Amino acid sequence: MELAQRDFEVLKLTRTFSQLASTHITELLFSDRSHSVPDRVLGRLVKLSYLSRVGRRATGEKGGAGAYVYQLGRAGRLLLGVDGRLSRAVNNHSLMIADMYLELRRAERQGVLVIHDWAVERAVPPRVRADLFVSVEYPAQRRRSSYFLEADLGTEPLRVIREKVAGYWDAVELSEDEYFPYVVFVAKERVRLLELERFFQGFDEELREMVSLAVVTDMQNKFLML
């Protein structure tokens, strides 16, 4: 069966993030269609093994069942040249990276910013990989800026975050660019944001100037201040 252009877009976007919830796919690729259309498309791609359902995304503190989560199926992996086994578990970290990207696209639709470049798992030599890199323009302010975004679910030990910040500082010292992108740790919950704020207060001033913090649902307001 021949795939439509939007089918390929669904597969390529899923490959980029490794896993996506149906809500991500619907808003990013089917905002111009009724809700029944993405359901039919996703169901057909699963039936043809281009996509595979991993499970449902947990919602709320009690972890209730939410939207279906998708990854590339065997046919999809073969088509796009992706190696590795199918995951049997929902990857909440990948889903939060997709959440951050979705928030940026929402801000773009609202005219707050324009996305010029973005990448998932962008290498930042010599030893860091950013969860999400984005270069944006703020038309109303007539300026551009770039960010390395780190998705924080509140489960990573603070020592690991310290090591990552040190890796970014190594990148700053190696960089020959006039400006280095802000490193923004994006917390899922505001309580975690407060914990990170206290943690970063113990860093040297130069490191504190490199790092900023945001909650995923308030990203665009935070970025306007950077």
Side-chain angles (χ1 to χ4, degrees):
M1 180 177 180
E2 185 176 352
L3 297 180
Q5 180 59 38
R6 202 167 317 210
D7 295 338
F8 280 108
E9 292 174 1
V10 170
L11 298 180
K12 288 187 291 186
L13 194 66
T14 305
R15 175 185 62 184
T16 297
F17 289 96
S18 78
Q19 290 186 11
L20 286 174
S22 59
T23 47
H24 295 132
I25 297 170
T26 297
E27 187 168 346
L28 288 169
L29 297 178
F30 294 90
S31 60
D32 60 337
R33 302 293 183 90
S34 68
H35 286 294
S36 62
V37 174
D39 289 342
R40 289 200 304 270
V41 171
L42 293 173
R44 175 168 50 82
L45 292 174
V46 168
K47 185 176 181 179
L48 295 172
S49 296
Y50 286 105
L51 287 179
S52 171
R53 286 195 183 107
V54 188
R56 287 185 180 271
R57 188 177 193 181
T59 59
E61 294 180 357
K62 296 183 179 180
Y68 276 118
V69 175
Y70 295 86
Q71 63 183 335
L72 289 180
R74 289 181 174 83
R77 287 170 176 261
L78 182 62
L79 178 66
L80 299 182
V82 176
D83 297 325
R85 297 180 178 179
L86 297 177
S87 174
R88 295 185 177 181
V90 170
N91 187 328
N92 289 310
H93 187 254
S94 293
L95 297 180
M96 186 172 172
I97 296 173
D99 289 342
M100 297 191 301
Y101 177 69
L102 180 57
E103 288 295 328
L104 292 168
R105 286 301 181 190
R106 287 171 175 169
E108 186 174 49
R109 289 197 299 270
Q110 294 167 11
V112 175
L113 53 82
V114 177
I115 298 175
H116 287 282
D117 187 24
W118 67 280
V120 175
E121 292 291 328
R122 169 69 67 89
V124 187
R127 58 188 180 96
V128 180
R129 298 188 73 86
D131 288 339
L132 180 64
F133 166 79
V134 63
S135 174
V136 303
E137 177 184 354
Y138 299 98
Q141 300 180 7
R142 298 182 180 180
R143 67 181 179 91
R144 294 181 65 162
S145 192
S146 298
Y147 309 93
F148 292 127
L149 306 179
E150 293 292 332
D152 187 280
L153 292 167
T155 57
E156 201 165 42
L158 295 178
R159 60 174 175 77
V160 174
I161 294 178
R162 183 182 295 277
E163 292 170 2
K164 180 160 282 191
V165 172
Y168 275 113
W169 184 249
D170 289 344
V172 170
E173 294 187 318
L174 284 178
S175 176
E176 297 180 354
D177 296 334
E178 185 176 0
Y179 297 103
F180 190 83
Y182 278 104
V183 179
V184 185
F185 283 83
V186 182
K188 186 176 182 180
E189 305 289 346
R190 197 163 295 277
V191 172
R192 176 63 169 182
L193 179 74
L194 296 175
E195 181 182 10
L196 292 175
E197 283 180 346
R198 289 195 296 269
F199 177 63
F200 284 125
Q201 286 174 2
F203 282 58
D204 294 337
E205 182 178 357
E206 56 191 7
L207 293 181
R208 292 201 305 270
E209 291 177 353
M210 178 186 71
V211 175
S212 189
L213 299 168
V215 177
V216 66
T217 54
D218 194 38
M219 283 173 53
Q220 61 176 276
N221 290 330
K222 180 64 177 181
F223 282 10
L224 284 170
M225 296 185 293
L226 292 176

